[in-house]
Every structure is written in structure tokens, then in C-alpha cells.
Amino acid sequence: MADIDLEAVRAHLGQRGQSPGPVEVGAALRTLGLLVSDTAVRATVAALRRESVGAGVLDPLLHLSGVTDVLVNGPDRVYVDRGAGLEPAGVSFAGEDEVRRLAVRLAASVGRRLDDGSPFVDARLPNGVRVHAVLPCVADAGTCLSLRVPNRQRMSLDDWVASGSLTAEGSDLLAGVVERRLAFLISGGTGSGKTTLLGGLLGLVPDDERIVIAEDSRELQPDHPHCIRMEARPANAEGAGAVTLTQLVRQALRMRPDRLVVGEVRGAEIADLLSALNTGHEGGCGTVHANSAADVPARLEALAALGGLGRDALHAQLGAALTVLVHVRRLPDGRRWVDELRLVRSDPTTGRCAGVPAIGFLPHGGRVEGEAYGELRRLVAR
């Protein structure tokens, strides 16, 4: 393959509108005066098809067991995350042009534009992989790609316990939260397991209840027979056709949900979610990015401001709508860990809400009971 000019072969086929089949590739090699042999033809066909289907040279990485992310920082800097941090992937591109072609093709496959006039894109591919691409005009490393691989397995609470990510007591408490229809938010950082845990909890919802999910990017796949999943949509190249998460939450309320779920609260939709939880929609839930459970009220303040909800109004809604905060984090060894549970309480003097510690779980064994532990136990008693 080192002696074959793929760019020349690609251009030759493109000029004639031919597909990269063995006959067409063999004829192109002969016309270009390149080596023609069974091995050369097979290798050239495979290389050209890799660039025209799937994720090109990255495609095999997306199917490796345990891979959650594939990152491209440049033609020869490709990394994967298999649960223990980033590591070199052992593959590379021929050059910047090949990385850019792949990024543009992936964007085009979902009807999105990627060029110097629109130098970044965030979208979900048909296979569920989430792709983010940035072109060199805004990234000094060249074209950068970030591929997030969806979890191919549904993890129940028992699976979390078996993998050493959740204690038996923690599993019992979380199951009680779902059974007693308490509204909750799961907080954590990127890749900490928020969505995976939420999916496992939704699997505990009784089969005769209707779950309606609104997500910015479709990730939740709960094991439940009566689940409606809706996904937000960005504007097209003409700037029209956008469907926001706020709009989806409002539509979900008209769909008779027994459980309203927002996959990730990240903007103005927090106002509609809290309003819904205050008007009879029990058991609602979602996830939110936050460094700790204690930081969630402040995080929600910032998001509520995007929806025109003031600080006082946010805390008034929050105190009546939300009951439990669950925080997950990723340990240095790559394990996801359910770190603590807190109860949301409102200070009668200031009207401000805070997460009061109920129980914390130590990764190497042990637990820490907080002042709200007894109350949590009473709330989830079955």
C-alpha cells in the first residue's frame, strides 16, 4: 500500500463516477501506471471503502469491548478510553486531509454541514455514536474528532452492585426512591455513569406506568415496555427546524407521563421540569453535570437563569419539586462509583435550598451517615 497513491485512485474513480469495486480499482491502477496485483487491488479496495463507510479507520475502535470514547487530536494522535483513562489507539491517518474528509462525511451522513463557514458540528450517527468535530480554522491541532460510544449493555442495579460500583445498601435505597415515586437528580462529571445509572433505575419503574423521556442526544435505553423517547434537533444549514429540549419537555407534559425524565438538564428546560414536578408529576428525574451533590443547587440556579427564572423563584420551585440528589463519580481505577445521596431541604429563614447529606459510600468499604439519613430511610420505607 505504501506504493499506491490512494488520492490519485480516488480522484480517477470520482471523475468517472465509479464505485471502488475490484474491477474499477484494477482498471484505475493500470491507467495510472501503478502496480496491479490481486493483493494490491484488495488492499486498495479495502482502504477506499474504509473511507466511504462507517467511521473509516476509526470503525474497528468503536467495536472494541469497553470503549466509551475515541478521540482524534490530529492525524497521528488517536486515543481511546476503555475505562482506565486515555490510551493511544495504535491507528493513524495518512494526513490532515483524510481526517477532514472523515469529519465532513460523518456530518453529511446526518444532514449536517461542516466547512470553514460552519467549523464545528455535534450530532448523533445512525448507529447511536455521538460525534463532535472541529475544523483547523478553530483548532490548532488540525481537524479534531470526538466520538462517544453508547453503552451497548443495559445495566441494572444488580449489575452495578456486581461490578463493585454500588453497595447493597445503596441499591436498596435507590430502589426505594423509585418505588416511592420520589423526584431525584443524578449529578456527576462527564463519563461518570450518570446516564447508565438513570437507565438502570428506570428499569425498576412498574410496567403499567408510562415513561416519557426528553433528551438532547438519545442515550437512555431503559428496559421498560412503555417508554417514549424524544430527541432534540439542531437547526439545519438554513437555520431552521430546530427542536429544543425545552420544547420537548413541554410536549412531554401533554403525553400523559407517569414519569417525566430529562436525560440531561443543561439549560432553560429546568424551569419547565420543576414546574411539572410541582403540578402532580411525581417520580420525575434526570441528570445534571456538577462536581458534587452539594453544588447542584448553584448549578441549577445558573441553568434557571437561562430560562428567565430568578434565584428566589428557582429555590421556591426546587424545594417543593425535588427530594433526592444522587452523586456519582469516576474513581482513578476507572470504576464508576455511587458516591452519596442527599435530601433537598429548604431553609425556612432564607428560602434557599441545599442538599443535606444522608449517606456517603466509601470506595474501599464503609459508609458515612449524614444528618438526613433517618429521614431518607423513612421516605423509602416499603
Side-chain angles (χ1 to χ4, degrees), residues 250-262:
R250 292 175 180 175
Q251 295 306 312
L253 294 175
R254 299 181 174 94
M255 298 171 68
R256 195 209 162 275
D258 290 300
R259 309 268 182 156
L260 174 61
V261 182
V262 177

Side-chain angles (χ1 to χ4, degrees), residues 62-119:
L62 300 178
H63 296 88
L64 291 177
S65 176
V67 167
T68 59
D69 296 88
V70 177
L71 307 176
V72 179
N73 298 342
D76 56 353
R77 291 189 293 163
V78 181
Y79 300 87
V80 296
D81 187 342
R82 288 190 266 201
L86 296 178
E87 57 184 284
V91 302
S92 62
F93 291 83
E96 162 61 25
D97 288 345
E98 185 180 353
V99 184
R100 180 166 181 148
R101 278 196 304 271
L102 173 60
V104 170
R105 180 169 60 76
L106 291 178
S109 71
V110 290
R112 302 293 300 279
R113 168 187 167 193
L114 183 64
D115 54 36
D116 287 346
S118 182

Side-chain angles (χ1 to χ4, degrees), residues 21-242:
V23 174
E24 293 81 3
V25 168
L29 293 176
R30 281 190 293 272
T31 300
L32 296 169
L34 300 173
L35 174 66
V36 181
S37 67
D38 289 345
T39 300
V41 170
R42 282 197 299 269
T44 304
V45 169
L48 291 173
R49 285 181 174 172
R50 261 198 317 269
E51 291 190 8
S52 61
V53 298
V57 298
L58 303 179
D59 212 55
L61 303 177
L62 300 178
H63 296 88
L64 291 177
S65 176
V67 167
T68 59
D69 296 88
V70 177
L71 307 176
V72 179
N73 298 342
D76 56 353
R77 291 189 293 163
V78 181
Y79 300 87
V80 296
D81 187 342
R82 288 190 266 201
L86 296 178
E87 57 184 284
V91 302
S92 62
F93 291 83
E96 162 61 25
D97 288 345
E98 185 180 353
V99 184
R100 180 166 181 148
R101 278 196 304 271
L102 173 60
V104 170
R105 180 169 60 76
L106 291 178
S109 71
V110 290
R112 302 293 300 279
R113 168 187 167 193
L114 183 64
D115 54 36
D116 287 346
S118 182
F120 44 81
V121 69
D122 184 60
R124 184 178 59 84
L125 302 178
N127 62 2
V129 172
R130 185 169 179 174
V131 58
H132 184 274
V134 181
L135 294 184
C137 54
V138 292
D140 63 355
T143 300
C144 295
L145 279 168
S146 303
L147 303 179
R148 168 63 64 89
V149 183
N151 195 333
R152 299 184 182 94
Q153 296 181 331
R154 294 168 173 166
M155 287 187 65
S156 66
L157 284 192
D158 289 340
D159 293 327
W160 276 77
V161 174
S163 66
S165 295
L166 175 65
T167 68
E169 181 180 14
S171 175
D172 180 66
L173 290 170
L174 290 174
V177 167
V178 176
E179 183 177 328
R180 303 301 294 175
R181 299 179 63 85
L182 303 179
F184 65 92
L185 277 182
I186 300 175
S187 61
T190 300
S192 59
K194 300 185 298 299
T195 301
T196 303
L197 178 60
L198 179 56
L201 292 176
L202 292 177
L204 301 177
V205 173
D207 290 353
D208 60 353
E209 294 186 19
R210 177 180 172 91
I211 301 173
V212 181
I213 300 174
E215 293 183 275
D216 188 60
S217 180
R218 191 177 300 162
E219 294 180 285
L220 281 168
Q221 301 182 63
D223 185 11
H224 193 277
H226 202 163
C227 179
I228 306 299
R229 301 160 62 201
M230 297 189 294
E231 182 181 26
R233 185 178 68 191
N236 58 24
E238 287 73 39

